[in-house]
Amino acid sequence: MDAIAAEAGVSKLTVYSHFTDKETLFFAAIHARCEEQMPAKLFDVDLEGPVRHQLDAIARAFLVMVMAPESIALHRLLTSGATSPKLVQLFWDAGPKLVQAGFQQFLRSEVEAQQLDISDIPRASSQFFALLKGEVHARLLCGCQEQVSRLEIDAHVSATVEFFLRAYAHTAKHVAVVKP
C-alpha cells in the first residue's frame, strides 16, 4: 500500500479510504486490467459484420492479455500455493469470471441472431478460451518459451476461430445449395 500511495502521489490513508483493504485494491486492479485489455464494447454484437471477425478480435485481445509477462507472472504466483485461496478467488471473480460473462452474453446474442447454434453457452465459452490458451500459453507458463511471434499468434487465432465456427456456426448459414 505504501508503494501504491507513493506512485499515486497520495497518502496511504487516501488509498485505504478508497479501497478499504489490500483485497479490494487487488480486485480493482485485476478488473481494471481486464477492462483495459478486453473492454465491454468488445463483446457488443455487430450483426452487420461476420461473427468470425468479432471472434477474431476477442481472441486476439484475450491472447494479448493472458500472454503478457505480468499475466504470466501473476498466474505463476496464484498457482504456486504461495497466495491465499481468498486472493485466488478474488482474481477469478475480477478477471476470468467477468471475461467469461461478457463472452457468454456475446454468444447468446449471436445465437438469438441465428449466427451461431450453441445449446450450452457456458461450455462453449469455456472451450473457446481453453482452445485459445492451448499449448502456446502452456509453453509460456512453463518457461519453455519467452515470447510468441506475431505469425504464430495469427495462425493460432485463425485455427481456433475456424475450429469454433465449425462446431457452432448456424448450419442454415453454411449449407451449400446444390442445383440439379
Side-chain angles (χ1 to χ4, degrees):
M1 294 299 261
D2 287 328
I4 292 166
E7 180 71 23
V10 298
S11 72
K12 192 161 102 172
L13 182 60
T14 301
V15 175
Y16 270 112
S17 70
H18 187 71
F19 292 107
T20 313
D21 54 27
K22 291 176 188 175
E23 287 83 10
T24 306
L25 175 62
F26 179 75
F27 183 93
I30 297 299
H31 184 271
R33 174 72 173 172
C34 288
E35 181 60 30
E36 173 188 309
Q37 296 291 310
M38 297 192 72
K41 68 180 179 167
L42 189 62
F43 300 113
D44 290 346
V45 175
D46 174 13
L47 296 177
E48 301 299 316
V51 68
R52 176 183 306 275
H53 291 226
Q54 284 193 273
L55 288 171
D56 187 82
I58 291 166
R60 288 175 191 287
F62 179 76
L63 281 179
V64 165
M65 182 176 66
V66 300
M67 292 189 332
E70 60 273 12
S71 295
I72 296 296
L74 180 59
H75 185 275
R76 288 176 179 154
L77 176 67
L78 291 173
T79 58
S80 71
T83 57
S84 73
K86 181 180 179 181
L87 201 59
V88 173
Q89 187 64 52
L90 284 170
F91 167 79
W92 185 261
D93 292 344
K97 187 176 177 179
L98 292 178
V99 169
Q100 287 275 354
F103 189 61
Q104 287 174 26
Q105 185 55 49
F106 167 79
L107 293 178
R108 274 187 207 87
S109 297
E110 292 291 356
V111 167
E112 289 169 10
Q114 297 187 335
Q115 296 294 312
L116 297 174
D117 185 11
I118 303 173
S119 60
D120 187 345
I121 289 174
R123 184 173 314 278
S125 176
S126 177
Q127 289 168 336
F128 184 72
F129 291 118
L131 284 168
L132 276 172
K133 281 184 171 181
E135 184 180 347
V136 173
H137 189 248
R139 286 192 322 252
L140 290 171
L141 287 175
C142 292
C144 297
Q145 188 170 346
E146 288 296 316
Q147 59 185 359
V148 181
S149 73
R150 176 79 177 183
L151 199 58
E152 188 176 3
I153 289 171
D154 290 345
H156 184 68
V157 166
S158 294
T160 299
V161 168
E162 180 63 29
F163 188 88
F164 189 81
L165 286 173
R166 284 178 187 247
Y168 294 119
H170 197 278
T171 53
K173 299 255 183 217
H174 298 281
V175 174
V177 176
V178 179
K179 294 183 180 183

